[in-house]
Amino acid sequence: MAEITSQEEKQKLVKAYTAMVLSRTLDKKIVNAQRQGRVGFYTPTMGQEALQIGAAMALDEQDLIYGYYRDVPLMISRGVPMDLIINQIMGNSADIAKGRQMPSHYGSRKHNFMSVQSPVATNLPLAVGAAYSLKYRKKKGVVLTTFGEGSTSTPDFHAAMNLASVYELPVIFLCENNGWAISLPVEKQTRVDIWSKAAAYGMPGIRANGNDILETYEAVKAAVKRAREGKGPTLIDAISFRMGPHSTSDDPTKYRSESVPEGSEKDPLTIAEGTLKALKLMDDKMIENIKQKTIKIVDDKFDECEKIPPPDPITAFEQVYSEQTWMLKEEVGDIL
Amino acid sequence: MVQAINQALSQNMEKDDSVILLGEDVGVDGGVFRVTDGLLSKFGPERVLDTPLVELGIVGMGIGMAVNGLRPVVEIQFQDFIYTAMDQIINQAAKIRYRSGGEYIAPIIIRTPYGGGIRGGLYHSQSGESYFVHTAGLIVATPSGPYDAKGLLNSAFKASDPIIFLEPKRLYRSIKEEVPEDMYTVPLGKAKLANSGDDLSIITYGSMVSTVLDTVKKNKINADVLDLRTLLPLDVEAILATVEKTGRVIIVHEAPRTLGMGAEISALIAERRIDYLQAPILRVTGPDSPFPYKMEDYYIPNEKRIMKAVAKILEYR
């Protein structure tokens, strides 16, 4: 277990644990709602809370995030309000993008969280460009970009790693190595450890237990320090496990037998609880209390968001360009 | 035209320090066509980036810059090499505004030489404009000479949407025009009537404009010649106006015929002005084959093929 001693870091850890519980509770809520037909689709994040929230603990507000579609805990730990996430999942009129994107494709400029795309790893070159902007404008910020281990097979991963290194840019490449790219296990994705790929680009590669919040935090903290000092990018291989399916449309029993049950010793929440108790920051009663309170908060927020009406259909044809084209004006007239 | 584009880049870089150039060999070498010649020494390596050889990375990095307040101008050395970057162009650049509810925008300019005429064979001659025109969220522009090249590029710098700027490489050094020193603009989305006539309309763009104009002049054809200048969005009003005027339409482009610009223009005319047509719409285009090396003169539409279509359309009763 990594050491934390300062009061500030201890407080951070308590806050981070609360975010983990909120993420887990919200995750389960959305999955259940999907089964009830109240939500169309979802990519569960269960199992990846520690690595995402541990990473966020190492960032400042002005740092930029270029994430992917399994980053709800990362958003929550950045202070993104829960209703922004639920509204996106529901695609209602309060959603920033007015229900244009399928669930799990959020973003919030206010929280420096770039809106998410589906094609994997295409966010990585953008993160490099974002980091170039920061460096060019002599700003202090760094860029965190996240992706699954399946993404390391893409040309975008290679391009981004190489470019970030060549231009010595402040990028932290956080591989959320959950072992599975839908049905493909990591052993069939690549023949080498993910962290070792960093050597090919001349940057450090760090392996971290992604289920241990403090270990990921320490790894990202070191990478952030390096980036802020102008020493360039780092690759972090945060090894974790996708406790749920790839998405609500996926049945993992078809391709894998291993599992990490909730509450088992590999569950990142269990590990975090052990840490909190060892540091005497919480006891079982407090933990149970947080969990129960969070269920109520999530249920209430979910019900509240569910009452928000769907977007006006006309909004589906807006914001394609700075000004609506004559074609679209005509087409909207025909459709509506 | 090389000088006109160079001047537009240089003037915009002087005016706005958020303008950054990136691409393969654009710095020390000044680009393989010398379009960016001298800009590295003028603006330094932080603003003129000689990048590694990775089109999708260059474009993706450019998009990331654009999202974060810079004004990147990406050069793709030949349009033929852009395809690995199509994911970035189609799924990132073109969709960022829409998918983020307007919170993020990507005002990137992607410049790239396209078309034949330099004996470049299959991989240095393609006209792939239709691939881009099929993507909502992009603006696609192509100049037919130095004046428009600078003016359209100046407009591109003022726009907040991603722009594919297709430069007909054959015209880089073959067309001379007076280009004013000042930062004038040529509007995006507006076609230009390059010649006025009553008997027929020839709708074209890019490298074919000068070929059509030469043909019309030499053979004393009384034709409207419409230079589209922007392919997405098309200037439908200008297209319909010339159809109303002449009732006979030929569309000329270098790209292959099937689902080329001619297809869309024909459909627009058929939907809206079929009663004005006095003859079937004809297309003079590149064939539906790869672009050949030795036989390139047979591939690119020429005077002979254009005149064949002119004769056919004027005879039609």
Side-chain angles (χ1 to χ4, degrees):
Chain A
M1 194 178 73
E3 290 290 318
I4 64 162
T5 45
S6 81
Q7 205 52 40
E8 191 201 338
E9 279 187 316
K10 284 178 180 171
Q11 275 172 8
K12 257 190 182 177
L13 187 62
V14 171
K15 216 178 138 192
Y17 176 71
T18 316
M20 285 175 83
V21 173
L22 180 56
S23 304
R24 176 67 61 87
T25 312
L26 180 60
D27 209 55
K28 283 160 56 180
K29 177 79 187 176
I30 299 170
V31 171
N32 281 331
Q34 195 278 335
R35 289 191 186 126
Q36 295 163 353
R38 296 157 75 190
V39 163
F41 170 89
Y42 183 60
T43 51
T45 56
M46 211 186 207
Q48 289 166 235
E49 295 93 344
L51 71 92
Q52 292 181 25
I53 296 171
M57 276 171 73
L59 298 179
D60 289 342
E61 266 183 22
Q62 87 275 0
D63 297 330
L64 311 177
I65 298 182
Y66 281 69
Y68 78 123
Y69 49 71
R70 207 184 300 285
D71 278 345
V72 162
L74 191 50
M75 292 199 87
I76 286 178
S77 53
R78 286 290 277 184
V80 175
M82 199 190 351
D83 40 354
L84 187 148
I85 296 166
I86 301 173
N87 289 333
Q88 198 287 321
I89 301 284
M90 292 184 172
N92 62 28
S93 56
D95 171 31
I96 291 174
K98 302 283 182 281
R100 290 172 189 148
Q101 285 234 74
M102 73 193 294
S104 306
H105 294 66
Y106 18 66
S108 171
R109 179 155 198 146
K110 195 177 154 200
H111 302 91
N112 285 326
F113 197 106
M114 175 62 177
S115 100
V116 166
Q117 68 295 315
S118 296
V120 300
T122 59
N123 52 323
L124 273 53
L126 269 66
V128 175
Y132 193 92
S133 306
L134 294 173
K135 189 177 178 182
Y136 178 71
R137 291 296 186 200
K138 300 189 171 35
K139 288 185 184 165
K140 274 278 153 231
V142 302
V143 183
L144 175 81
T145 187
T146 65
F147 49 95
E149 81 289 342
S151 288
T152 63
S153 297
T154 67
D156 295 74
F157 170 78
H158 165 67
M161 291 281 286
N162 189 48
L163 287 165
S165 185
V166 164
Y167 295 110
E168 295 184 294
L169 297 175
V171 186
I172 293 102
F173 292 93
L174 178 65
C175 180
E176 304 192 18
N177 185 351
N178 66 19
W180 292 89
I182 304 190
S183 66
L184 198 74
V186 65
E187 314 84 72
K188 289 188 180 172
Q189 191 74 246
T190 174
R191 286 283 183 174
V192 299
D193 290 331
I194 302 290
W195 62 266
S196 72
K197 292 174 190 278
Y201 305 96
M203 70 171 84
I206 307 175
R207 181 191 191 280
N209 177 1
N211 291 341
D212 184 336
I213 186 163
L214 284 186
E215 221 183 276
T216 317
Y217 167 60
E218 293 294 340
V220 178
K221 198 167 89 171
V224 168
K225 183 168 180 282
R226 198 179 122 81
R228 286 205 211 286
E229 285 169 357
K231 291 177 183 163
T234 303
L235 171 66
I236 294 167
D237 180 9
I239 297 165
S240 179
F241 188 77
R242 197 187 74 208
M243 286 167 66
H246 162 72
S247 78
T248 48
S249 313
D250 170 43
D251 173 15
T253 61
K254 202 176 164 201
Y255 52 79
R256 71 180 188 190
S257 53
E258 62 181 313
S259 67
V260 173
E262 216 189 338
S264 67
E265 59 179 14
K266 275 192 181 170
D267 183 335
L269 264 75
T270 311
I271 297 173
E273 286 156 13
T275 307
L276 286 163
K277 286 191 273 187
L279 291 166
K280 302 216 181 320
L281 294 168
M282 278 194 194
D283 58 25
D284 283 330
K285 206 179 152 195
M286 287 164 79
I287 286 167
E288 194 48 36
N289 191 26
I290 290 178
K291 285 185 176 172
Q292 289 308 320
K293 255 172 53 189
T294 306
I295 292 174
K296 170 91 172 93
I297 293 168
V298 169
D299 282 347
D300 289 351
K301 191 54 87 181
F302 207 85
D303 291 345
E304 200 182 291
C305 293
E306 215 166 18
K307 292 193 188 94
I308 299 172
D312 185 333
I314 204 159
T315 58
F317 312 102
E318 291 168 349
Q319 294 175 319
V320 180
Y321 293 90
S322 55
E323 284 173 48
Q324 198 172 41
T325 58
W326 66 265
M327 300 89 82
L328 201 46
K329 274 182 197 154
E330 204 176 82
E331 287 151 2
V332 175
D334 287 344
I335 294 166
L336 298 180
Chain B
M1 192 159 86
V2 164
Q3 285 164 336
I5 298 169
N6 182 285
Q7 194 180 73
L9 294 172
S10 184
Q11 288 180 340
N12 280 283
M13 288 181 86
E14 268 167 38
K15 197 179 108 184
D16 179 0
D17 74 350
S18 66
V19 178
I20 307 277
L21 304 190
L22 60 164
E24 294 160 10
D25 308 299
V26 300
V28 177
D29 197 35
V32 294
F33 289 102
R34 308 287 174 263
V35 174
T36 53
D37 211 19
L39 299 179
L40 173 66
S41 54
K42 209 164 165 187
F43 299 103
E46 287 189 345
R47 297 186 64 193
V48 182
L49 279 65
D50 271 324
T51 63
L53 306 189
V54 56
E55 283 75 14
L56 75 91
I58 305 166
V59 171
M61 189 175 165
I63 296 167
M65 290 177 175
V67 164
N68 287 281
L70 298 183
R71 275 266 167 194
V73 183
V74 165
E75 177 178 302
I76 298 296
Q77 202 160 70
F78 286 86
Q79 185 255 293
D80 316 57
F81 305 157
I82 208 168
Y83 303 117
T84 61
M86 288 305 264
D87 196 4
Q88 287 293 338
I89 294 170
I90 295 172
N91 284 325
Q92 290 285 5
K95 291 178 176 51
I96 282 174
R97 182 192 296 274
Y98 186 75
R99 77 168 195 236
S100 70
E103 285 200 338
Y104 289 99
I105 56 169
I108 184 176
I109 299 173
I110 301 173
R111 295 179 35 245
T112 187
Y114 82 122
I118 61 150
R119 305 273 168 212
L122 279 73
Y123 304 114
H124 298 77
S125 310
Q126 296 176 29
S127 294
E129 56 269 30
S130 285
Y131 301 122
F132 308 106
V133 171
H134 203 57
T135 302
L138 301 178
I139 290 174
V140 183
T142 180
S144 62
Y147 181 90
D148 280 358
K150 184 179 170 186
L152 286 168
L153 205 47
N154 281 337
S155 291
F157 277 104
K158 291 185 197 298
S160 66
D161 296 300
I163 292 179
I164 308 292
F165 197 78
L166 298 170
E167 299 170 2
K169 66 174 83 74
R170 185 147 51 99
L171 308 183
Y172 271 150
R173 293 178 190 281
S174 67
I175 290 194
K176 305 251 179 282
E177 270 175 3
E178 280 296 313
V179 173
E181 268 293 318
D182 68 312
M183 291 176 77
Y184 65 93
T185 56
V186 169
L188 294 163
K190 291 279 171 226
K192 176 186 155 193
L193 198 60
N195 192 63
S196 192
D198 302 314
D199 295 345
L200 76 156
S201 304
I202 304 182
I203 301 173
T204 187
Y205 56 89
S207 70
M208 284 292 104
V209 174
S210 53
T211 307
V212 169
L213 286 175
D214 290 348
T215 301
V216 163
K217 270 177 204 140
K218 192 174 155 197
N219 296 280
K220 300 193 170 51
I221 306 300
N222 186 19
D224 257 8
V225 176
L226 190 67
D227 176 1
L228 292 170
R229 300 198 292 199
T230 299
L231 305 181
L232 181 67
L234 278 170
D235 185 351
V236 68
E237 285 173 21
I239 292 169
L240 299 183
T242 185
V243 175
E244 286 174 15
K245 183 176 165 194
T246 71
R248 293 171 198 269
V249 181
I250 299 172
I251 301 153
V252 181
H253 56 67
E254 209 178 300
R257 185 175 64 187
T258 299
L259 272 182
M261 292 306 299
E264 181 59 28
I265 296 162
S266 303
L268 288 174
I269 295 169
E271 282 168 353
R272 287 144 218 262
R273 293 294 183 273
I274 199 152
D275 293 342
Y276 285 83
L277 288 179
Q278 295 170 39
I281 298 167
L282 296 182
R283 288 180 284 173
V284 180
T285 71
D288 288 300
S289 77
F291 194 102
Y293 169 59
K294 274 284 193 185
M295 284 69 71
E296 103 171 351
D297 295 342
Y298 294 92
Y299 189 98
I300 301 172
N302 54 20
E303 180 188 345
K304 192 176 147 199
R305 287 181 57 207
I306 295 165
M307 281 311 296
K308 209 168 135 189
V310 168
K312 195 172 165 188
I313 210 161
L314 289 178
E315 280 164 15
Y316 190 90
R317 286 291 173 267

